[in-house]
C-alpha cells in the first residue's frame, strides 16, 4: 500500500470515530499535516467525494437510521451527528433524502419491528463510511493467510443489486459506483438494510465477468426499484464458505484455493458465488485486518462430511 493511501485510510478512521465533532477541511488538513488544497485533492481521488460531501453523507445516513430506530428528539439526533442546529439538519436531510426528518420518521422502515430497526441502524452505521471503498486496489502484496474452508447451510436472503458486465480491472470502480447508489436508494425508500455490502458473480469469463453489487434487505420493495436497481432473492442451500483475510487484491487466490478444495472433496458449484465485505476500510485502515466472506453454493448430492 502506498504511504498516501495508508495515511488517508488512517484519516478516515479518525474522522469516523468522531463524526459528531469538528471534521472541517482545516481540521482534517491539520490532522494530516497537509495543505487544505492538497488534502482535498488526495481525499477526492481516493474516496470519490470531497471531504465535506463525505462527512455530510455519512452523518446524514447515520442520523436517518437513528430516526427510524428510536424515539429521540430530532434536535438531539442532529446535535449528536454534528449539525449546528435543527434547521441546518432539516435542510441538509431534505436535500439528501428528498423528505424532511419528521416525514422520514413517520413513514418508517418497509419492515416494522424493533429488532429489524436495530439491525438496520447497525448496518447503516458500519457501511456508510466505506460504501465506495470496497475492492480498493493496493500495490502492496503480502503472504496469503491460510483459508479455513467449511460447508454450511446458507439461509435465503433478499437483496438489491445493480448488474454490470465488466473486465476484472473494473471491479473496484464499478462497486464504487453501484454500492452507493443501491445504499442510497434503500435509505431513501425506507428499506431495512440487514448486513454489509456484497458482490455476486453470475458469470465469469476469460475477458469479462458479470457482477452484481448490492446490499441485503429484510424484505424486497413493494414496487419495482428504479435507477437500474434490481430486487433479488438468493435461495437457501448448502455452500462452501471461507473468510479471506487481507487486501482485496489477493481475493482471486482465495477463490482458486476454494475451487481446488471443492475438487478434492468431489463437489461442484450450484450457483453464482458471492463475497460479503465484513470489514469497513473507512474504519479499519490496515488491509491486513480486512475480512471478506466468500460463499460458493454447492450441490447437495456432492456433499461429503468435513
Amino acid at each position: 500500500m502506498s504511504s498516501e493511501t495508508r495515511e488517508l485510510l488512517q484519516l478516515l478512521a479518525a474522522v469516523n470515530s468522531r463524526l459528531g465533532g469538528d471534521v472541517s477541511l482545516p481540521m482534517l488538513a491539520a490532522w494530516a499535516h497537509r495543505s487544505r488544497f492538497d488534502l482535498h485533492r488526495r481525499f477526492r481521488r481516493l474516496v470519490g467525494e470531497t471531504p465535506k460531501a463525505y462527512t455530510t453523507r455519512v452523518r446524514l445516513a447515520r442520523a436517518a437510521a437513528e430516526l427510524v430506530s428510536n424515539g429521540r428528539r430530532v434536535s438531539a439526533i442532529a446535535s449528536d451527528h454534528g449539525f449546528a442546529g435543527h434547521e441546518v439538519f432539516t435542510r441538509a436531510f431534505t436535500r439528501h433524502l428528498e423528505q424532511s426528518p419528521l416525514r422520514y420518521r413517520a413513514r418508517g422502515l418497509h419492515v416494522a419491528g424493533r429488532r429489524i430497526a436495530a439491525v438496520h441502524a447497525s448496518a447503516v452505521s458500519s457501511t456508510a463510511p466505506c460504501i465506495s471503498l470496497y475492492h480498493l486496489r493496493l500495490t502492496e502484496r503480502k503472504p496469503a493467510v491460510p483459508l479455513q474452508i467449511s460447508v454450511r447451510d446458507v439461509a435465503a436472503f433478499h437483496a438489491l443489486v445493480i448488474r454490470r458486465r465488466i473486465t476484472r480491472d473494473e471491479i473496484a470502480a464499478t462497486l464504487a459506483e453501484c454500492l452507493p447508489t443501491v445504499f442510497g436508494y434503500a435509505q431513501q425508500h425506507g428499506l431495512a438494510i440487514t448486513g454489509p455490502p456484497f458482490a455476486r458473480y453470475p458469470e465469469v469469463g476469460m475477458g469479462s465477468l458479470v457482477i452484481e453489487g448490492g446490499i441485503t434487505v429484510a424484505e424486497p420493495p413493494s414496487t419495482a426499484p428504479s435507477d437500474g436497481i434490481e430486487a433479488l432473492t438468493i435461495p437457501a442451500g448448502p455452500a462452501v464458505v471461507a473468510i479471506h483475510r487481507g487486501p482485496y487484491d489477493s481475493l482471486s487466490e482465495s477463490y482458486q484455493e476454494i475451487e481446488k478444495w471443492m475438487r478434492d472433496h468431489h463437489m461442484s458449484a450450484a450457483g453464482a458465488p458471492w463475497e460479503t465485505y465484513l470489514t469497513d476500510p473507512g474504519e479499519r485502515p490496515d488491509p491486513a485486518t480486512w475480512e471478506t466472506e466468500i460463499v460458493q453454493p454447492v450441490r447437495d448430492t456432492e456433499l461429503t462430511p468435513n
Side-chain angles (χ1 to χ4, degrees), residues 211-292:
I211 189 172
E212 294 171 341
I215 56 172
T216 59
V217 292
E219 294 289 345
S222 55
T223 58
S226 57
D227 302 326
I229 298 171
E230 301 178 38
L232 295 181
T233 298
I234 308 301
V240 171
V241 180
I243 302 295
H244 168 88
R245 293 179 172 86
Y248 304 122
D249 303 61
S250 56
L251 269 167
S252 60
E253 298 167 14
S254 291
Y255 276 101
Q256 291 170 8
E257 189 172 339
I258 290 171
E259 290 174 4
K260 180 181 183 303
W261 190 92
M262 289 171 58
R263 289 195 300 270
D264 292 344
H265 289 75
H266 309 291
M267 299 180 187
S268 61
W274 67 86
E275 58 197 36
T276 301
Y277 307 114
L278 305 179
T279 306
D280 310 315
E283 295 188 320
R284 289 170 62 178
D286 183 359
T289 68
W290 296 351
E291 295 187 343
T292 306

Side-chain angles (χ1 to χ4, degrees), residues 5-275:
T5 301
R6 185 182 298 278
E7 289 173 6
L8 285 173
L9 288 176
Q10 291 171 344
L11 179 63
L12 284 178
V15 166
N16 286 300
S17 69
R18 53 166 298 163
L19 270 173
D22 182 5
V23 288
S24 63
L25 182 58
M27 178 61 73
L28 297 185
W31 286 354
H33 304 291
R34 295 187 180 274
S35 70
R36 299 180 193 180
F37 173 80
D38 186 49
L39 177 64
H40 190 280
R41 178 176 59 83
R42 293 171 184 268
F43 191 102
R44 185 167 190 171
R45 185 168 58 197
L46 176 71
V47 181
E49 299 172 285
T50 66
K52 182 177 181 180
Y54 174 83
T55 54
T56 299
R57 176 183 60 77
V58 176
R59 283 173 162 175
L60 288 171
R62 289 174 164 173
E66 191 170 349
L67 282 170
V68 294
S69 62
N70 65 51
R72 296 180 66 217
R73 294 175 58 188
V74 174
S75 58
I77 292 175
S79 177
D80 283 354
H81 290 280
F83 291 91
H86 186 280
E87 291 184 1
V88 173
F89 174 66
T90 298
R91 285 197 300 270
F93 191 98
T94 304
R95 187 166 54 248
H96 185 70
L97 290 168
E98 300 182 0
Q99 54 200 298
S100 70
L102 289 177
R103 183 178 177 186
Y104 189 86
R105 167 175 273 174
R107 185 197 59 188
L109 292 172
H110 182 57
V111 178
R114 290 186 178 180
R115 186 187 67 81
I116 289 294
V119 170
H120 170 79
S122 176
V124 168
S125 180
S126 63
T127 300
C130 48
I131 194 65
S132 65
L133 295 175
Y134 295 107
H135 252 277
L136 181 68
R137 300 195 68 180
L138 308 175
T139 57
E140 185 179 88
R141 301 288 290 180
K142 292 184 177 181
V145 178
L147 288 182
Q148 297 295 319
I149 302 174
S150 63
V151 179
R152 75 165 189 243
D153 288 325
V154 176
F157 63 90
H158 304 289
L160 297 180
V161 303
I162 293 178
R163 183 181 293 114
R164 294 278 191 273
R165 179 175 290 279
I166 60 172
T167 65
R168 294 177 186 274
D169 290 341
E170 296 172 322
I171 292 177
T174 301
L175 290 179
E177 174 191 350
C178 294
L179 292 180
T181 300
V182 175
F183 181 83
Y185 181 91
Q187 271 220 301
Q188 184 177 348
H189 291 82
L191 301 174
I193 301 171
T194 56
F198 72 96
R200 187 168 177 261
Y201 300 96
E203 182 182 330
V204 178
M206 292 295 292
S208 67
L209 55 84
V210 174
I211 189 172
E212 294 171 341
I215 56 172
T216 59
V217 292
E219 294 289 345
S222 55
T223 58
S226 57
D227 302 326
I229 298 171
E230 301 178 38
L232 295 181
T233 298
I234 308 301
V240 171
V241 180
I243 302 295
H244 168 88
R245 293 179 172 86
Y248 304 122
D249 303 61
S250 56
L251 269 167
S252 60
E253 298 167 14
S254 291
Y255 276 101
Q256 291 170 8
E257 189 172 339
I258 290 171
E259 290 174 4
K260 180 181 183 303
W261 190 92
M262 289 171 58
R263 289 195 300 270
D264 292 344
H265 289 75
H266 309 291
M267 299 180 187
S268 61
W274 67 86
E275 58 197 36

